[in-house]
Amino acid sequence: MTAEAGIAATVRGRGLRSAIVPVGSTLLGMVFLLNVGIGAVPIAPDEVLAIIGDRLGLETGTRFTEAQASVLWSIRLPRTLLALVIGAGLAVAGAGLQGIFRNPLAEPAIIGVSSGAGLGAALGIVVGAGAVGPLGIAGGAFVGGTVAAAATFLASRYQGRTDVVTLILAGVAVAAIAGAGTGLLTFLADDDQLRTIVFWLLGSVAGASWSSVFVTLGLVSIGVAVILAQGRNLDLMLLGEAEARHLGVQPELTRAAVIAAAALATAATVAAAGVIGFVGLVAPHVVRLMSGPRHRTLLPAAALTGMILMGGADLLSRVVVAPIELPIGVVTAVVGGPFFLFLIRSTRAGRVLS
């Protein structure tokens, strides 16, 4: 590469990095307004702002009906906010795991959290935890996800150290065990329980409430904050563990912190909306291909991209075959599957940054 070409590439990279936040924020605003506005009761953007302003004690002069206000506050607003929180949590968790594994194909499912949470939810449904409401099933999912992540981490430890390859293999094994358990529970479930299990495993934010939004936001915020705090260490670990250690990083502590935080965020999202795949894989790469692997830029931009992807997926799940609603996990898989195939081919060709 010539000096002129190198300078041009650097300028283009800086331009893309500087455009991520304004462009992403604009897209997020559009996705938000479309999500809260489209449905059986249409609500125009100015009416959305008027309803929100009215709740805040502000008068905008725009008229709206009580039906619109009720639909917005009771259904669409918590549903949309939950989707955005889940998107941010999964995206940052995926970006953090890709950093510590130095593997562009890593995502939250690689440490068994999603499968463990699915098993916990299925167990709660079959044994009757759902009798106390969705909170019982969500609690089972959260416990299942955290136990699976802990089992993966502990199984990969040897003489006080964690080998990355062993960690990935342990995650595959834990996911297989959890998947077998979920299959057994599906076989034992009655018809009503079976429908609930399938609905949960495919993912949906249709049951969102303000309480689920606040609980999920709190847990996801903790996980995201921990991963963001490890941004510099993740950058240095891309150089290799030996080099990172010479620069003052403790790889074991960094790896444990990121895995724990990713497990917390992922388990919280599964507990709130079921298993939703590919967001943690796709969102970080959309950003990485535009701005490079520097985590100070990558992590917040991935959160923004994850929110856009989840908001868009939720909108598609509601309008593609309306009035029937598709499971949101199906929509993310339809988008994420082809991207995953592209990613595999690009990685083999050496075109994707790790």
Side-chain angles (χ1 to χ4, degrees), residues 117 120-121 124-125 129-130 133-145 200 212 215-216 267-268 270-273:
I125 292 168
L135 184 60
I137 301 174
F142 183 78
V143 172
W200 189 274
S212 65
V215 171
T216 307
V270 177

Side-chain angles (χ1 to χ4, degrees), residues 198-338:
V198 171
F199 183 77
W200 189 274
L201 294 179
L202 291 177
S204 174
V205 291
S209 64
W210 284 110
S211 61
S212 65
V213 171
F214 292 134
V215 171
T216 307
L217 176 61
L219 295 173
V220 167
S221 296
I222 295 172
V224 168
V226 171
I227 296 174
L228 288 174
Q230 297 293 329
R232 176 181 176 276
N233 292 345
L234 290 172
D235 284 339
L236 295 177
M237 286 187 67
L238 291 177
L239 303 173
E241 286 195 19
E243 291 80 0
R245 193 174 287 108
H246 285 308
L247 293 171
V249 178
Q250 299 183 45
E252 286 298 314
L253 291 179
T254 299
R255 187 175 294 116
V258 171
I259 289 176
L264 176 65
T266 304
T269 64
V270 177
V275 179
I276 299 172
F278 288 107
V279 175
L281 173 69
V282 173
H285 276 288
V286 171
V287 177
R288 187 178 284 108
L289 291 171
M290 293 188 296
S291 67
R294 190 178 183 185
H295 286 85
R296 189 172 70 176
T297 302
L298 173 63
L299 292 172
L304 184 62
T305 305
M307 288 191 283
I308 296 170
L309 291 177
M310 272 297 296
D314 182 40
L315 179 62
L316 288 175
S317 73
R318 293 192 292 115
V319 303
V320 169
V321 289
I324 300 173
E325 182 176 318
L326 289 174
I328 195 169
V330 173
V331 178
T332 58
V334 167
V335 175

Side-chain angles (χ1 to χ4, degrees), residues 1-15:
M1 179 183 292
T2 65
E4 292 80 3
I7 293 173
T10 301
V11 171
R12 285 196 299 271
R14 289 177 178 174

Side-chain angles (χ1 to χ4, degrees), residues 32-33 43-54 58 60 62 72:
F32 175 82
L33 290 175
I43 308 175
D46 59 334
E47 293 171 336
V48 171
L49 297 177
I51 295 170
I52 295 175
D54 181 69
L58 303 176
T60 63
T62 302
L72 179 67

